[in-house]
């Protein structure tokens, strides 16, 4: 299979996730638990062609396929759904979160498919295993933040019911795990930058916005310890913080010139 | 100095403004406000010139460090008086790591020394300001498409102190050389040309290596510069084509490897151009006035940055302490999430 074949896999995943989303929506509106189970199956089914597409691209380019914005957005969709699937396997209460996580995933895929799939040559600086650690933890962190966002959104939309405290707990735990991953991402990036360029921090716009994200989730962790910062208030905050994650990931590379500019890797 | 643990009654200070200040510094509300302000300042910093915000940012970061230090002290005091548990210990380690990070950042900002130099193959220089230590570039290697599809650029270096045997090392982008606390990073590379000017009798008027600039913005990369030929009044604008080929009437390069180097030059004596054309390796051209210009050699040059940063070790150690603290603090308690 070629890189073009991999794009077909991505379209297939997108379609399966749209179906999964519609099923989860129906399940929530008509309170049909079985439909929710089918939605989870579609979420898992959608992950299979995406995984195949990523592997094909990895083989075709002979490097980890997490470099260009196209590749990163696709990988972030994979991690969002994989994190959701792991969470719903651990906590049954996380199942309905599909209704918020699947749109994040298929919208990401849709956005990625509007970008150029060209596999540009890389700069010498990118040949480092710190790249793999750095990006793996970044994507894992994003997956957790997407799950936290999904649980928080569901909590806000459904209002106070029997599942509210479970959704609140899922959102909070996801933030905590995402925060740890984000910390490791920043740290591994620092070590790598120090090895490559002799500086561990350069106030590059993407570095700065990843610090903003870290500070905002650090703030969440502090606020959770205060009375009143549970339930709807914490949920609203988790949603706002996730919007900052999306802005950092999607908008910052388009708005500012950056060392992380994904098209500038042919040096 | 009195010895004892922090939980000793000797350390108890009567309620005072100091204690109120410590209480404020340790409070979660205060920490939350500081984090929010720091985040806001970072956001503003991406649109406003950095120097405008550097002072308030430094002040705020210092306050965060102070707050985290107060937090560490009070937590340590509490921990010493009770059975050690993972979560409070994790919190203590995380905040201690944060303080270490900030101290290391400040140390780095104050003590950091930087240098830049470039060496043509065969050339040597003094390394940083380490007396008597010489660094020589033996060979530069360029593989334009290696594994992962990335180019592999490597500099073979020899470092030697006075009367010492040279230590050989190969430096790449992600593999710097560390020598006596000084780290040498490979940055750019390009070509140096040996231009020799002779008169009609073959006597050398000028001859030295000139490093041409590397223009990374153009695709393919171009190697060009303007300079005065050492020891003469001749101003030269030159562009090197490492693997030259004539396409139509234009000179181009088939590859970035120096297989068939040719130099497109414009030579001026004052404002008058005395020569405009191509000089091939080992084939001198006549400039007029019985002067001959010869491209006698082409070699790689490699650019290096040197950094001595006394904060880096503490910085990374503190960062790992902070991560370990985070993991301990949030180690999954076996509390299940109930479905309803």
């Amino acid at each position: 299979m070629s890189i073009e074949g991999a794009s077909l896999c991505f379209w297939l995943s997108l379609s399966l996730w749209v179906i999964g989303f519609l099923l989860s929506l129906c399940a929530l509106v008509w309170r049909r638990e079985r439909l929710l189970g089918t939605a989870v199956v579609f979420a898992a089914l959608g992950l299979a062609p995406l995984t195949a597409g990523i592997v094909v691209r990895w083989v075709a380019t002979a490097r980890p396929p997490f470099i260009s914005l196209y590749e990163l957005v696709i990988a972030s969709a994979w991690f969002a759904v994989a994190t959701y699937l792991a969470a719903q396997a651990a906590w049954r209460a996380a199942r309905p979160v599909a209704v918020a996580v699947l749109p994040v995933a298929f919208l990401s895929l849709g956005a990625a498919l509007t970008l150029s799939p060209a596999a540009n040559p890389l700069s010498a600086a990118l040949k480092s295993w710190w790249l793999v650690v750095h990006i793996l933890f970044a994507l894992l962190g994003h997956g957790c933040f997407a799950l936290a966002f999904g649980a928080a959104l569901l909590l806000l939309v459904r209002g106070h019911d029997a599942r509210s405290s479970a959704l609140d707990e899922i959102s909070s735990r996801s933030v905590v795990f995402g925060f740890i991953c984000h910390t490791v991402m920043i740290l591994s990036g620092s070590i790598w930058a120090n090895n490559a360029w002799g500086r561990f921090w350069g106030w590059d716009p993407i570095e700065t916005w990843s610090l903003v994200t870290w500070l905002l989730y650090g703030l969440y962790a502090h606020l959770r310890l205060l009375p009143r910062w549970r339930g709807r208030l914490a949920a609203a905050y988790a949603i706002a913080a996730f919007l900052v994650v999306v802005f950092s990931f999607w908008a910052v590379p388009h708005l500012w010139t950056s060392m992380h500019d994904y098209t500038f890797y042919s040096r | 100095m009195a010895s004892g643990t922090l939980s000793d009654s000797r350390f108890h200070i009567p309620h005072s403004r100091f204690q109120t200040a410590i209480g404020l510094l340790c409070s979660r509300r205060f920490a939350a406000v500081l984090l929010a302000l720091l985040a806001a300042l970072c956001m503003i910093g991406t649109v406003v010139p950095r120097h405008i915000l550097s002072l308030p940012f430094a002040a705020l970061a210092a306050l965060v460090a102070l707050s985290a230090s107060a937090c560490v002290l009070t937590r340590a005091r509490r921990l010493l008086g009770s059975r050690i548990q993972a979560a409070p210990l994790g919190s203590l380690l995380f905040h201690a790591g944060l303080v270490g990070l900030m101290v290391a950042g400040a140390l780095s900002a104050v003590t950091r020394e930087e240098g830049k130099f470039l060496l043509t193959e065969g050339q040597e220089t003094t390394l940083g300001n380490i007396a008597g230590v010489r660094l020589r570039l033996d060979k530069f290697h360029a593989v334009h498409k290696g594994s992962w599809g990335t180019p592999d650029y490597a500099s073979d270096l020899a470092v030697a102190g006075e009367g010492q045997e040279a230590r050989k090392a190969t430096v790449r982008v992600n593999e710097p050389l560390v020598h006596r606390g000084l780290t040498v990073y490979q940055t750019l590379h390009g070509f140096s040309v040996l231009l020799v000017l002779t008169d009609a009798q073959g006597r050398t008027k000028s001859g030295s290596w000139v490093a041409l600039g590397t223009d990374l913005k153009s695709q393919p990369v171009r190697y060009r510069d303007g300079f005065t030929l050492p020891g003469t009044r001749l101003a030269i604008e030159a562009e090197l084509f490492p693997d030259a080929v004539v396409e139509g009437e234009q000179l181009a390069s088939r590859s970035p490897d120096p297989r068939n180097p040719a130099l497109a030059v414009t030579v001026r004596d004052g404002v008058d151009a005395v020569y405009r054309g191509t000089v091939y390796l080992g084939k001198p051209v006549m400039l007029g006035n019985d002067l001959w210009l010869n491209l006698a050699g082409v070699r790689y040059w490699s650019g290096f940055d040197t950094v001595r940063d006394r904060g880096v070790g503490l910085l990374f150690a503190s960062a790992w302490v902070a991560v370990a603290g985070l993991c301990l603090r949030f180690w999954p308690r076996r509390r299940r999430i109930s479905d309803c």
Side-chain angles (χ1 to χ4, degrees), chain A:
Chain A
M1 201 193 292
S2 61
I3 286 181
E4 289 73 27
S7 296
L8 282 178
C9 291
F10 303 151
W11 277 110
L12 184 58
S13 297
L14 192 149
S15 311
L16 288 166
W17 286 344
V18 170
I19 296 169
F21 161 67
L22 292 173
L23 286 169
S24 61
L25 193 63
C26 292
L28 287 177
V29 172
W30 288 295
R31 297 185 185 275
R32 298 280 167 88
E33 198 69 23
R34 285 176 104 186
L35 275 182
L36 210 51
T38 319
V40 172
V41 171
F42 270 88
L45 282 176
L47 207 59
L50 190 67
T51 309
I54 291 172
V55 170
V56 164
R57 203 173 162 85
W58 193 323
V59 172
T61 56
R63 59 163 172 80
F66 312 122
I67 308 296
S68 65
L69 191 55
Y70 172 82
E71 293 167 339
L72 281 172
V73 177
I74 283 170
S76 76
W78 190 96
F79 272 89
V81 175
T83 310
Y84 160 73
L85 288 173
Q88 67 83 34
W91 310 309
R92 202 178 153 77
R95 276 192 163 191
V97 179
V99 78
V101 170
L102 287 180
V104 169
F106 69 69
L107 287 174
S108 299
L109 262 189
L113 290 168
T114 65
L115 299 168
S116 163
N120 295 322
L122 307 182
S123 74
L126 287 177
K127 195 184 167 191
S128 165
W129 285 105
W130 284 113
L131 167 84
V132 180
V133 178
H134 180 62
I135 293 178
L136 195 71
F137 277 94
L139 293 170
L140 200 53
H142 284 190
C144 294
F145 293 147
L147 184 69
F149 159 79
L153 190 65
L154 205 60
L155 194 154
L156 274 190
V157 169
R158 284 165 61 139
H160 190 76
D161 67 5
R163 280 182 166 164
S164 294
S165 65
L167 287 172
D168 186 39
E169 193 63 25
I170 289 165
S171 183
S172 156
R173 288 194 190 186
S174 306
V175 163
V176 163
F177 195 68
F179 182 66
I180 295 174
C181 292
H182 199 75
T183 308
V184 176
M185 181 274 284
I186 292 178
L187 177 57
S188 54
S190 271
I191 295 173
W192 179 22
N194 192 59
N195 270 347
W197 303 302
R199 60 146 186 87
F200 48 81
W201 192 261
W203 293 111
D204 175 88
I206 289 183
E207 283 176 9
T208 306
W209 278 89
S210 72
L211 178 64
V212 168
T213 305
W214 188 83
L215 288 167
L216 290 179
Y217 281 109
L219 180 55
Y220 176 95
H222 279 84
L223 291 175
R224 284 288 296 188
L225 299 169
L226 298 175
R228 283 185 59 234
W229 277 89
R230 301 253 154 190
R232 296 174 69 83
L233 201 56
Y237 187 97
I239 291 168
F242 185 68
L243 295 180
V244 174
V245 172
V246 173
F247 180 80
S248 311
F249 193 59
W250 184 256
V252 172
H254 289 105
L255 289 175
W256 289 284
T257 313
S258 161
M259 285 293 283
H260 290 76
D261 184 347
Y262 312 109
T263 57
F264 192 61
Y265 285 142
S266 52
R267 284 190 194 180

Side-chain angles (χ1 to χ4, degrees), chain B residues 102-293:
Chain B
M102 291 189 182
V103 170
L107 189 66
S108 171
V110 173
T111 65
R112 192 174 162 92
E113 296 166 31
E114 293 177 356
K116 274 181 189 301
F117 62 93
L118 68 84
L119 291 174
T120 298
E121 287 172 321
Q123 273 186 339
E124 66 172 27
T125 186
T126 307
L127 182 56
N129 50 8
I130 307 174
V133 177
R134 308 284 298 167
L135 182 82
R136 189 179 66 241
L137 174 64
D138 286 338
K139 186 88 186 144
F140 181 84
H141 308 272
V143 177
H144 298 287
K145 199 168 182 185
S147 57
W148 288 22
T150 59
D152 182 23
Y153 303 127
S155 303
D156 291 342
L157 298 174
V159 194
E162 259 174 61
Q164 287 180 327
E165 197 177 325
R167 171 190 163 200
K168 305 269 184 182
T170 300
V171 172
R172 291 185 169 82
V173 175
N174 280 303
E175 296 168 26
L177 162 74
V178 182
H179 187 79
R180 288 167 62 176
L182 193 77
T183 313
V184 181
Y185 297 91
Q186 179 182 278
T187 54
L188 270 176
H189 71 272
F191 290 101
S192 291
V193 290
L194 175 59
L195 287 174
V196 180
L197 189 72
T198 49
D199 61 18
Q201 285 74 43
R203 286 180 298 219
T204 302
K205 295 278 188 190
S206 169
S208 58
W209 287 97
V210 179
L212 300 177
T214 300
D215 181 2
L216 289 170
K217 284 182 186 153
S218 59
Q219 276 301 335
V221 174
R222 296 173 79 172
Y223 308 97
R224 55 186 171 180
D225 229 323
F227 51 91
T228 304
L229 201 61
T232 72
R233 298 187 316 163
L234 297 177
I236 295 185
E237 286 163 31
E239 177 168 359
L240 183 79
F241 294 85
D243 190 6
V245 61
V246 179
E247 288 176 352
E249 289 184 359
Q250 294 284 316
L251 202 56
S253 193
R254 277 172 298 210
S255 75
D257 299 314
R259 292 189 186 119
N260 179 36
L263 201 63
V265 290
T266 301
V267 184
R268 292 178 201 281
D269 189 358
V271 288
D272 303 323
V274 292
Y275 182 81
R276 188 173 280 138
T278 306
V279 188
Y280 287 92
L281 188 65
K283 295 176 181 167
V285 294
M286 198 170 79
L287 301 182
N289 299 334
D290 286 339
L291 289 173
W292 291 76
L293 183 69

